[in-house]
Structure formats: C-alpha cells, structure tokens
C-alpha cells in the first residue's frame, strides 16, 4: 500500500471514530432534581434554597415551581428586587400562575414599593376568587399606597372567605398601629393570637400592643 493511500485510510478511520469519541467524553446534560430532593430543600434555610432553586431555574427556565420557590427564597433573604424579577419570569411563561402573582406582590410590598405589586395582586384576586391570600396582601398594598378604605374592604372580604384568619387580623392590626391607633389594634391582635395558626411573630407583637 502506498504512503498516500495509507495516510488517507488513517485519516478516514480517525474521522469516523471522532463522533463516537466525542459522545464518550461529552459531559452529561444537567437534569432537574427529584421530587424527594426538592422536598428536602423546601425545609432548608433561605440561602440554601436560593442556591438550589436558582440551579433548578438554570436547568429549566420554564419551570414555574422552581421560579416561584426561587422568588420566595430571595425575598426571605431581603433580595426583593431579584425576587420580583424571578416571579415576573414565571408569569412570562405562565401568565395565570397565582403563586407567582402573589410573590410579585409580596416582593414589592417588602421593598416598600407596593404600588408596583397592586396589579399582580388584583389579578390574583380575580383569578382565585375563593382564596383569601390575594385579598390579605392587597389590604397591605393598599394601606402602603395610602388607600385605607380599599385596604379595609380587602381585609373584610378576606375575613369573609377565612373567618378569624390570624394573618388578616394581624395585618389589620398593624395598619392601626401604624396609624397611631394601638387601642383599636389590641382586640384584633388578641383575636389573631388566639387562633391555632397564629405565627410566632404575631405572638411577639401582641405584648407590645397590649402593654
């Protein structure tokens, strides 16, 4: 066999082997976590959750659950702007995602610019008319943008759906405290902390208002 023919045969052999070699050495494509892994991270601290859910969003940007969980973790870390962006990203994929709407509202309320969250919360209220959460958050947002009558109406509607709800009652009480009416807030907080679902934060606020 001539040298030229040998060289050509060798080149052809290497060319045919290259795709198989590339397949063997290529890194496996990243995959999303299992349901068990996700459940485990739901019990982790906000920083760990933000890292985990951030990775899940990178793997699948169209995963609404990961986007909402990332927004929640970022909000708990005080990264309110990024939390709002993460929740808005979910709405780009699923415009009717109520959980993402609520996170948009929570993030803007937390950063003191509730005006930007009102539309999302009103959309959530209309999309989930039997859910007290949009109404409760709307009350907080309305109060922050100085619409106290609308806030009271929202909270009243929330209590109609969920009577004696401790979150709604405490939101109403905090609005009264902010307005200088601690006496009016006291009975609302008393009702709130009497409920089984009252949070530790509510129970800590109660002595401050009652004392």
């Amino acid at each position: 066999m001539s040298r030229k023919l040998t060289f050509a045969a060798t080149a052809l052999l290497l060319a045919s082997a290259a795709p198989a070699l590339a397949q063997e050495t290529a890194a496996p494509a990243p995959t999303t976590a299992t349901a068990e892994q996700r459940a485990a991270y739901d019990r982790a601290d906000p920083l760990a959750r933000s890292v985990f859910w951030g990775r899940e969003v990178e793997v699948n940007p169209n995963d609404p659950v990961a986007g909402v969980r990332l927004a929640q973790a970022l909000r708990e870390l005080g990264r309110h702007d990024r939390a709002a962006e993460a929740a808005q990203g979910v709405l780009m994929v699923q415009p009717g995602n109520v959980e993402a709407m609520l996170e948009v509202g929570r993030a803007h309320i937390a950063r003191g610019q509730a005006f930007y969250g009102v539309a999302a919360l009103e959309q959530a209220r209309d999309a989930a008319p039997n859910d007290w959460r949009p109404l409760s958050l709307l009350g907080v947002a309305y109060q922050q943008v100085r619409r106290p009558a609308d806030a009271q109406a929202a909270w009243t509607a929330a209590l109609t759906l969920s009577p004696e709800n401790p979150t709604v009652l405490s939101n109403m009480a905090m609005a009264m405290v902010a307005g200088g009416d601690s006496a009016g807030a006291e009975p609302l907080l008393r009702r709130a902390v009497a409920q089984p679902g009252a949070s530790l934060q509510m129970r800590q606020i109660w002595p401050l208002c009652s004392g």
Side-chain angles (χ1 to χ4, degrees):
M1 183 181 293
S2 68
R3 291 179 62 186
K4 287 185 178 180
L5 185 59
T6 301
F7 178 79
T10 303
L12 180 62
L13 180 62
L14 290 173
S16 64
L21 182 62
Q23 289 177 1
E24 291 177 2
T25 58
T31 58
T32 57
T34 64
E36 292 76 12
Q37 290 171 324
R38 289 188 166 204
Y41 268 95
D42 274 340
R43 298 187 292 271
D45 62 87
L47 180 58
R49 282 188 282 119
S50 71
V51 173
F52 173 80
W53 290 113
R55 175 191 172 280
E56 291 293 278
V57 170
E58 287 181 4
V59 173
N60 182 8
N62 294 330
D63 184 343
V65 173
V68 170
R69 294 288 193 276
L70 175 60
Q72 292 171 343
L74 290 170
R75 174 172 52 82
E76 291 175 30
L77 288 171
R79 301 174 185 173
H80 304 132
D81 290 351
R82 288 191 58 197
E85 290 173 4
Q88 288 286 5
V90 174
L91 293 176
M92 294 292 290
V93 178
Q94 279 192 351
N97 190 305
V98 172
E99 298 303 321
M101 296 173 198
L102 296 179
E103 281 304 315
V104 170
R106 290 186 183 108
H108 288 303
I109 289 171
R111 73 189 188 107
Q113 297 186 4
F115 172 81
Y116 296 102
V118 168
L121 292 174
E122 290 177 338
Q123 188 179 358
R125 174 200 60 196
D126 297 340
N130 295 320
D131 191 339
W132 61 270
R133 297 175 302 162
L135 290 163
S136 181
L137 287 168
L138 264 176
V140 178
Y142 286 147
Q143 189 70 25
Q144 195 176 105
V145 298
R146 300 181 181 181
R147 293 168 58 180
D150 289 334
Q152 291 299 321
W155 286 326
T156 299
L159 288 175
T160 300
L161 294 174
S162 181
E164 296 299 292
N165 185 290
T167 300
V168 180
L169 291 171
S170 63
N171 284 339
M172 296 174 69
M174 289 301 95
M176 289 186 172
V177 171
D181 186 9
S182 295
E186 183 177 345
L188 291 175
L189 274 175
R190 185 185 300 115
R191 287 164 58 190
V193 299
Q195 305 306 313
S199 68
L200 177 61
Q201 183 180 17
M202 296 175 196
R203 299 183 190 283
Q204 290 173 334
I205 293 172
W206 158 246
L208 299 178
C209 293
S210 60

